[in-house]
Each structure stands twice: as C-alpha cells, then as structure tokens.
Amino acid sequence: MPSHKFQRFKRLLNASDYKEVFDHNRVKVANSYLLILAKPTKGAQSRLGLIIAKKNISTAVQRNRVKRVARETFRQKEFSVVMDIVLLARTGANRLSNEQLTQALNTAWSHLDARSQQQRVKHA
C-alpha cells in the first residue's frame, strides 16, 4: 500500500534551505492569495516549505487547513524540473473554501511548472 505521508525528503527542513530559495529564486508565481518562490535544484525530488504567517491568517485552525491543502496538492503534482519551493500564504487565503484553495494551488503549481520549463530552456 503506498504511503500518503508528506515525507521528510519532500520538505524544506531548516532555515538555510529557506534562505537559499529566498536569495536565489528563479521562478515566482503569485496570485491574490499565494506567493510561490522556487529555485531549481540538483536533488532527486522537489521539496516544499510553507510559510503561513499568523499576521495573514490569524487562527491556528485556518493556518493548519491551508497547510494541509497545500501539502496534499503538492504531493499529487509531478514537476518536470526538480525544485525547492517556498509557498507563502497571503491575507485572505483562509476565506477560500477547500475546493477554491485546491483549485488556486493547482493553477499555481501548473504555472510554476510552465515557468520553470521556460527558465530551463533560457539557461540551457
């Protein structure tokens, strides 16, 4: 039976991983609810880091819901380029229903994948 966990090797784990993405991101995707920064990496698998600020989403229940939906959509997405990704939730993301949030994230992942392929072509 396949594991549906968000395993350690799929996560950005420490501050230096996040700093690397913030300092050297090549691809950005933004909408009114999310900002996604990504940096191509030589790792075996894309990794995700989440920043869900208390000032943007005030209750822990809502922050955790946004994280859960983000992890699940990331887990189901296959990227054509291996990347380290940081997702930042903006104010108002908690007002979306789970279906709306899932759709916004899936759209953002698709845009991220398309832009990362363009970047790979430019720098090849």
Side-chain angles (χ1 to χ4, degrees):
M1 188 162 134
S3 173
H4 295 294
K5 293 171 95 176
F6 186 57
Q7 298 163 332
R8 262 181 98 74
F9 65 87
K10 294 182 181 179
R11 293 183 256 166
L12 296 180
L13 295 173
N14 52 43
S16 62
D17 292 339
Y18 282 86
K19 183 172 176 18
E20 188 68 23
V21 175
F22 278 114
D23 292 346
H24 303 289
N25 66 71
R26 288 231 183 114
V27 184
K28 293 180 187 177
V29 173
N31 64 33
S32 35
Y33 304 108
L34 308 164
L35 171 63
I36 299 174
L37 306 173
K39 172 191 167 293
T41 185
K42 299 203 186 313
Q45 187 124 22
S46 291
R47 299 185 304 166
L48 176 66
L50 299 169
I51 299 178
I52 314 297
K54 192 174 187 178
K55 97 176 176 186
N56 292 337
I57 300 176
S58 57
T59 66
V61 170
Q62 291 298 320
R63 287 193 302 276
N64 291 337
R65 183 180 66 87
V66 170
K67 289 179 200 177
R68 247 189 331 272
V69 173
R71 285 186 202 116
E72 181 60 19
T73 58
F74 176 79
R75 189 183 65 76
Q76 293 175 357
K77 178 70 178 164
E78 283 291 323
F79 294 100
S80 55
V81 177
V82 178
M83 298 177 277
D84 283 348
I85 302 165
V86 173
L87 180 138
L88 295 100
R90 292 181 168 168
T91 304
N94 59 322
R95 286 186 232 123
L96 297 175
S97 69
N98 283 353
E99 294 78 23
Q100 291 169 323
L101 186 57
T102 298
Q103 178 151 7
L105 282 160
N106 284 333
T107 302
W109 297 139
S110 296
H111 287 212
L112 179 67
D113 200 27
R115 289 185 185 165
S116 65
Q117 287 176 3
Q118 291 172 351
Q119 282 292 334
R120 184 173 63 178
V121 169
K122 277 186 191 176
H123 293 288

